[in-house]
Amino acid sequence: MSVLSAIRVSHVTIAAFATVGWFWGSFAALAPQLKAQIGADDATFGLLLLGTSVGLMTTLILAPIFDKAFRSWAMPLAAIGLSAAFLGPGLATGPKVFLVAMVVTGLASGLLDVVMNARVSEIEARLNRPLMNANHGVFSVSYAFGALVTGFSREAGIPPHFIFAGFGVLTLLASTRMFMDVDVTDDTEEQVSKFPWSIVLLCGGVVLIAFMTEAAVESWSALHVERTLGGRAAEGALGPATLGLTMAIGRFGGQAVAERFSELSVTAVGAVLAGAGATVAALAPSPVIAYLGFGTLGLGVSVIGPLGLALVGRLVPPRMRTLAISRTAALGFSGFFIAPALMGLTSQAFGLRVAFGGVAALTCVLFVLIPILRRRGA
């Protein structure tokens, strides 16, 4: 199935993935300015980002309920909620307000993440075709778009809340294309005795490592380029933008690869590339070499998370799909907020070069999980 065909048949979810992409791309490019705006050091800023994971964890319970309650309205309502939530960090002027804002942002992002991934899995099951990489590829393109627009907006002196508001207008337009009629199955807690926890935890571990690796570059690449390597604001924005663009290339390419090779084989190759890229970024003597590292990492890590989510959607019974994906996604997406905090603590103690070296080491854990999943018949 071609990439364009995959995008065409999942056009409803594509709009949701684009929305999440441009907001988090903008946030990544704004990280140095937001950090200065609230007066936080590296360690404090990293810990404050954990507030997002607190909000995200509530989606373990709320996402399936939200999905059943609103059905075809779930995606557009979650997207509008996300656009409102991002005004919080843009307006925050102190650590406490920023922490609360990140909790709310994590909740809104988690709701949309779970619902849109569950919808993709439903379309995949209906058509018996892989679609996850194409959708995540659009997220990556949108992420790069958000980072680049934000970088130039910072150069022009536009404040963060105006930048987020601009993406909010785009989201309102995109939300009109997110309606999708679905039959939400009965994924209640009464089924907990039959719930496939082992599959969820194993696939969730793969997604967690992938998204921790991705988040480390998203949140700290701009600071690495600007502070460690002496780049300007626009050069700093090129760090997350490079990641987003190469992840898009990897995911669109992964759409074709996923139809020919097993998920676990592709994941192993991706892990090697991601580890190599993180090592190059850690040792980079200049922004250009750092971009090379970020790009290599992006190509490698791009396919790992989507394949993990697709795998759990394929292995669990249809009636448990939304609940299983919500828990796998919540575990995996927590990596987006755990990793920045760990990066901040490591950077405060040892510097960003050592922190990016830790990212390279993290990818090695995938080589423990892959054989276990293979033995489980995945």
Side-chain angles (χ1 to χ4, degrees):
M1 191 179 213
S2 70
V3 173
L4 292 179
S5 177
I7 291 174
R8 184 170 59 252
V9 299
S10 57
H11 62 91
V12 175
T13 54
I14 288 293
F17 277 85
T19 294
V20 177
W22 60 54
F23 271 120
W24 284 114
S26 178
F27 182 87
L30 280 168
Q33 187 171 347
L34 294 174
K35 178 175 172 292
Q37 183 173 291
I38 63 174
D41 58 23
D42 284 2
T44 302
F45 186 67
L47 288 173
L48 290 173
L49 292 178
L50 280 174
T52 319
S53 65
V54 174
L56 180 69
M57 286 299 104
T58 63
T59 61
L60 282 168
I61 299 172
L62 293 182
I65 298 173
F66 178 81
D67 194 15
K68 290 177 190 177
F70 295 102
R71 300 199 174 204
S72 63
W73 283 81
M75 270 197 299
L77 287 178
I80 293 170
L82 183 63
S83 65
F86 262 100
L87 292 175
L91 291 167
T93 56
K96 292 181 180 179
V97 176
F98 186 80
L99 176 63
V100 174
M102 295 313 295
V103 171
V104 175
T105 302
L107 171 60
S109 182
L111 285 177
L112 183 55
D113 271 321
V114 168
V115 173
M116 69 189 191
N117 277 285
R119 293 291 183 272
V120 175
S121 187
E122 291 170 15
I123 301 172
E124 284 185 327
R126 189 183 310 151
L127 300 179
N128 194 30
R129 294 282 190 175
L131 299 169
M132 199 68 78
N133 266 305
N135 279 262
H136 281 260
V138 169
F139 163 84
S140 299
V141 171
S142 181
Y143 179 93
F145 165 74
L148 286 172
V149 169
T150 299
F152 289 112
S153 298
R154 283 181 62 197
E155 292 271 341
I158 300 175
H161 58 282
F162 280 128
I163 297 173
F164 286 138
F167 285 116
V169 174
L170 284 179
T171 299
L172 288 176
L173 296 174
S175 66
T176 62
R177 303 182 60 85
M178 296 182 195
F179 292 91
M180 176 177 166
D181 291 328
V182 293
D183 294 323
V184 182
T185 54
D186 187 20
D187 298 329
T188 64
E189 291 297 328
E190 295 175 1
Q191 299 170 344
V192 71
S193 61
K194 301 178 182 178
F195 192 73
W197 281 109
S198 61
I199 294 297
V200 167
L201 291 176
L202 286 170
C203 294
V206 171
V207 178
L208 173 65
I209 293 169
F211 289 166
M212 284 183 71
T213 304
E214 180 182 341
V217 181
E218 287 180 355
S219 299
W220 291 92
S221 58
L223 276 168
H224 186 44
V225 171
E226 292 179 32
R227 190 175 66 193
T228 309
L229 304 174
R232 296 183 297 106
E235 290 177 310
L238 279 176
T242 299
L243 176 77
L245 288 172
T246 54
M247 288 188 68
I249 293 170
R251 284 171 172 169
F252 288 140
Q255 177 66 36
V257 171
E259 297 181 10
R260 294 170 174 81
F261 301 97
S262 73
E263 290 98 335
L264 297 182
S265 297
V266 178
T267 297
V269 174
V272 172
L273 287 174
T279 302
V280 171
L283 300 175
S286 67
V288 173
I289 302 301
Y291 301 149
L292 176 63
F294 299 148
T296 303
L297 183 147
L299 284 174
V301 80
S302 62
V303 296
I304 300 174
L307 289 177
L309 289 168
L311 192 59
V312 73
R314 180 166 62 82
L315 293 179
V316 302
R319 71 181 187 280
M320 297 182 180
R321 185 176 292 121
T322 299
L323 185 59
I325 287 179
S326 72
R327 291 181 170 171
T328 303
L331 176 60
F333 289 130
S334 65
F336 278 115
F337 315 111
I338 295 172
L342 292 177
M343 288 286 287
L345 293 171
T346 306
S347 174
Q348 186 76 12
F350 306 106
L352 277 170
R353 292 190 185 277
V354 174
F356 277 102
V359 173
L362 178 65
T363 61
C364 296
V365 180
L366 289 168
F367 295 103
V368 176
L369 297 178
I370 289 172
I372 298 174
L373 276 167
R374 199 180 297 278
R375 287 195 295 269
R376 293 296 304 269

